[in-house]
């Protein structure tokens, strides 16, 4: 069996097979994943780009078009597809993790679908760790794609350095819904399928709405399946840095707190507590605080 | 200053002033409350009766009528009023904790209003402890009254040994709403203001609906302000024990787990974590798990 150091060296070199294995270990919290996570060196300079939006907005098509261009520029890209409606994610639905995609066999493009946490579509509990593993590999961008329903779009905004919200002109009907959730989290908006009727007025309305926010939020128009507008979006991304540090700091602090808590509580089993309390409350007089004091010597 | 032992002896003897002071200490987690909680001996034989229902159902009137009868039987009663719409709770709204009530100066009746946790009306974080303090005093019943909106009615069902849901005939209109929440939690139902039109058919519908539940759930009809039907309810209560142990076991286990967690995490400050992480991620390479390992020596 390979040592952790070998694994990490291979990943650093850009080997996808060990990378996939490490991600599986980390995602499922398998034996050795903690030791592995203690050894990786995640490169904090690699930006994480979140892409979200309602189902059918063409997020995957846009990601495909972006990858195409970036590969031509010699960039290496990792994609985590959390979107259960995404064609990237077909594999996840089929029960295995290998899917077809125009880029799947391209060197320098690594695509991975990951399970969501329950029906509300929250991101996987290990997503921060998975992103850190990808940051430790030799990628220029890590893209996380998730559908903008439920709570995953809020979580992605916490995770990503830059969040792209993809909409389509038809979204005009549901603008009230969009307003409440997605409108708050995008650092940049893309009106995709911009060759459709009403695209221009939709983009204008969107721009007006976004004027209410404190920071300037650009709106790009793309026709992703015809490669229109993608260059402009990419060059904006290349020239923009989000509030990386502030966001990551929050994210890492919350995660660190949870990790410390898990570690300190790892020998406390509720089932065991319950058995002991069950014995104690058989007596007429019971004192929970005394019980806890004796249990935990605090 | 009094010692904890003196306090507890006075409470055990039935003195209300030290009891009120101890409850204030516990509710607000004041200095000394932990030591105090380690010393009280809560009598596990004292039943906790939860009373909940929509605003205007006459919960406080029913509690008043119940108290009246119980006092005549020589019982000592403690009431925790969590219901923000309750007249018992007027004091809480006025900013002090002393309210007028027919029973306020009666010996053997102790009434205390307590603040809810936020606008959703969840029970106070210290409610278990407060109930345990009351169980350590010389009461025959502890009654917890809370309005059945938000989440407090779910919490009360976890806390009380026996939950009484109070409804009025008019509730027929909102039966769908009632179905989802309150219907699940009552061990007994009271149709109050049963002299009103439609009371009988409402009670019958209610009984039919309750037939869907696995256990038999009685429905009583009362006119609390005329003292009608209260005796029957009280004698049912006196002859019924809920699943006290199972429920308390769950409650105490969850609470014990939280107390242990709080204790073990008491020296971990998120602000401190954040400062340290902030320094660490200034370097290009950062490893969260290594950081945590060093921080916590795990």
């Amino acid at each position: 069996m390979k040592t952790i150091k070998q694994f990490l060296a291979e990943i650093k070199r850009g080997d996808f097979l060990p990378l996939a294995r490490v991600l599986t270990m980390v995602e499922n919290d398998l034996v050795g994943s903690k030791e592995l996570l203690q050894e990786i060196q995640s490169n904090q300079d690699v930006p994480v780009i979140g892409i979200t939006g309602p189902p059918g907005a063409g997020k995957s098509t846009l990601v495909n078009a972006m990858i195409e261009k970036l590969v031509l520029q010699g960039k290496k890209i990792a994609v985590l597809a959390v979107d259960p409606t995404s064609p990237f994610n077909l594999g996840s639905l089929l029960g295995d993790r290998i899917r077809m995609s125009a880029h799947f066999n391209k060197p320098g493009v690594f695509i991975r679908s990951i399970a969501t946490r329950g029906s509300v579509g929250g991101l996987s509990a290990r997503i921060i760790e998975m992103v850190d593993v990808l940051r430790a590999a030799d990628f220029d961008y890590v893209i996380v794609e998730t559908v903008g329903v439920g709570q995953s779009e809020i979580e992605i905004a916490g995770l990503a350095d830059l969040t792209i919200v993809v909409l389509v002109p038809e979204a005009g009907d549901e603008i009230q819904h969009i307003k409440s959730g997605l409108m708050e989290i995008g650092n940049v908006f893309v009106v995709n399928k911009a060759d459709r009727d009403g695209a221009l007025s939709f983009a204008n309305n969107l721009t007006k709405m976004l004027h209410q926010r404190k920071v300037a939020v650009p709106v790009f128009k793309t026709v992703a399946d015809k490669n229109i507008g993608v260059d402009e979006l990419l060059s904006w991304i290349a020239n923009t840095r989000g509030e990386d540090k502030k966001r990551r700091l929050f994210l890492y602090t919350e995660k660190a707190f949870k990790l410390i808590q898990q570690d300190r509580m790892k020998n406390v089993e509720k089932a065991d507590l319950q058995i002991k309390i069950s014995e104690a409350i058989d007596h007429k007089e019971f004192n929970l605080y005394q019980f806890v004091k004796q249990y935990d010597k605090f």
Side-chain angles (χ1 to χ4, degrees), chain A:
Chain A
M1 208 187 133
K2 275 177 206 165
T3 64
I4 286 173
K5 287 213 183 305
Q6 282 172 314
F7 255 130
L8 292 171
E10 287 172 0
I11 288 172
K12 196 103 195 163
R13 211 165 54 217
D15 287 0
F16 285 177
L17 212 58
L19 178 59
R21 287 186 61 185
V22 165
L23 287 173
T24 300
M25 280 176 71
V26 168
E27 185 177 14
N28 301 294
D29 200 14
L30 302 182
V31 175
S33 65
K34 194 167 154 185
E35 291 70 21
L36 205 144
L37 286 167
Q38 283 176 358
E39 293 299 326
I40 59 154
Q41 292 301 338
S42 95
N43 181 346
Q44 292 295 308
D45 288 346
V46 180
V48 175
I49 297 173
I51 297 194
T52 191
K59 292 181 294 297
S60 303
T61 316
L62 182 65
V63 172
N64 259 317
M66 288 166 69
I67 291 174
E68 195 111 10
K69 303 269 185 188
L70 289 167
V71 165
L72 285 176
Q73 295 171 22
K75 305 287 188 200
K76 293 184 178 173
I77 317 293
V79 180
L80 282 182
V82 196
D83 181 355
T85 67
S86 161
F88 284 140
N89 229 310
L90 194 59
S92 178
L93 295 176
L94 292 175
D96 78 340
R97 303 194 159 269
I98 298 171
R99 299 134 292 86
M100 295 311 294
S101 134
H103 307 288
F104 191 69
N105 289 313
K106 265 191 189 154
V109 181
F110 178 87
I111 297 173
R112 166 90 178 201
S113 66
I114 58 173
T116 55
R117 198 168 49 201
S119 57
V120 283
L123 299 183
S124 156
R126 297 277 159 181
I127 188 105
I128 297 173
E129 287 88 339
M130 293 177 81
V131 165
D132 271 355
V133 168
L134 292 171
R135 275 207 186 104
D138 193 28
F139 293 109
D140 295 291
Y141 288 101
V142 174
I143 295 175
V144 183
E145 186 209 344
T146 174
V147 71
V149 286
Q151 59 183 57
S152 63
E153 82 266 22
I154 306 298
E155 291 180 29
I156 207 176
L159 180 74
D161 300 315
L162 204 68
T163 301
I164 305 175
V165 174
V166 185
L167 300 171
V168 276
E170 291 78 18
D173 306 333
E174 8 163 4
I175 206 93
Q176 282 310 320
H177 170 70
I178 293 168
K179 215 174 179 174
S180 58
L182 293 173
M183 295 302 284
E184 311 292 326
I185 59 163
N187 302 108
V188 54
F189 284 76
V190 171
V191 177
N192 192 30
K193 306 184 185 176
D195 50 352
R196 292 198 183 173
D197 282 350
L200 191 66
S201 74
F202 176 70
N204 288 342
N205 283 337
L206 188 60
T207 307
K208 253 180 240 160
M209 278 176 63
L210 291 168
H211 269 308
Q212 295 164 12
R213 283 178 45 182
K214 278 175 209 156
V215 275
V217 185
V219 175
F220 287 93
K221 292 189 282 293
T222 62
V223 187
D225 57 5
K226 292 178 187 155
N227 264 319
I228 298 171
V230 181
D231 281 325
E232 290 79 357
L233 175 64
L234 283 175
S235 79
W236 183 85
I237 291 170
N239 292 310
T240 305
R241 301 294 300 206
E243 294 178 280
D244 301 13
K245 195 179 162 180
K246 197 174 146 198
R247 191 165 288 165
R248 275 185 213 174
L249 195 51
F250 178 77
L251 198 70
Y252 281 136
T253 302
E254 292 297 318
K255 187 82 197 186
F257 190 86
K258 266 189 208 149
L259 289 172
I260 295 167
Q261 187 166 282
Q262 272 168 21
D263 182 62
R264 293 191 177 185
M265 293 298 282
K266 68 173 173 241
N267 65 341
V268 182
E269 297 281 347
K270 278 192 186 171
D272 174 57
L273 265 184
Q274 190 160 326
I275 290 166
K276 294 203 168 80
I277 292 174
S278 177
E279 287 159 11
I281 63 174
D282 274 344
H283 307 281
K284 185 178 163 184
E285 298 203 326
F286 171 69
N287 182 311
L288 181 68
Y289 278 67
Q290 219 166 71
F291 171 86
V292 168
K293 187 185 176 185
Q294 273 153 19
Y295 185 95
D296 207 39
K297 322 260 179 291
F298 80 88

